[in-house]
Amino acid sequence: MAEQEKREPSGSYLLRKNAGASDWVFSICVWALMALVVIAVAYPLYFVLVASFSDPADVAMGRTLLGPVDIYLDGYREIFHYQRIWTAYGNTIFYTVAGTLLHLVLTIPIAYVLSRRNLMLGGFLSGYLLVTMFFSGGTIPLYMALRSYGLLDTRAVLIVSGCISVYNIIIARTFFATSVPPELIEASHIDGATELQCFIRIVLPISTTIIAVIGLYSAVSYWNAYKPGLMYIRNQALVPLQVVLRELLVKTQNLLLSAKKLATG
């Protein structure tokens, strides 16, 4: 019986002992590139952590590039005693949860309907939505529309203003068109199911992946949004977290510039 050849395990190419000089050079370049990418991604996070435990003056002077000079906890003490930031946290959590739920309730059914081949004027509706993704009415018309509806300076304005995303609709429509078998829909219709029953009982249970993806996109968008809070909210009790953080950042930058001027002159 012939002796079986020993196969190298998958992924051993970069580390095999009998590799030639060119293979080792390639391996070293790949690992060096990976190390640079890791450093480029991890260092900003590390610097933010170090800066949070450092004196702002040391940060402004560039003394904390490798680590904190002295442990400075006054920033954390101020944050924990700053009631406004906790109110903004609560507001942002509410906007994110409510906005994501509304976004899913609107996006998923629209995408499923547009994915149906027998939809009358389906191509026209898809094209109409695509045009709105590239050409919008602008900031001023949107502001006037929200004002005419009486939504300015309310919680609803931050939820409604981002409840529809054509990009997410296109992603979900593509999923429904390519991942939901038409035979499954036809079989459910033969069994007497209506379109609504088919959507709720058949399509949704097998579409948890795209629902999770769209929900994640929406949640991140609501959490990071600060322009709607700047434009539509004047009541400080309703502003989201990003607006408060922006104000703190502007104040901190002004203080650092003042401290730098005093130190240099």
Side-chain angles (χ1 to χ4, degrees), residues 16 28 35 39 77 79 104 129 140 150 154 161 174 262-263:
R16 64 187 183 183
I28 292 173
I39 293 173
R77 295 191 186 98
I79 289 296
L104 289 174
L129 289 176
I140 295 178
T154 63
S161 59
T174 304
L262 292 176

Side-chain angles (χ1 to χ4, degrees), residues 61 258-265:
M61 296 299 177
S258 301
K260 190 174 183 179
K261 290 180 180 179
L262 292 176
T264 57

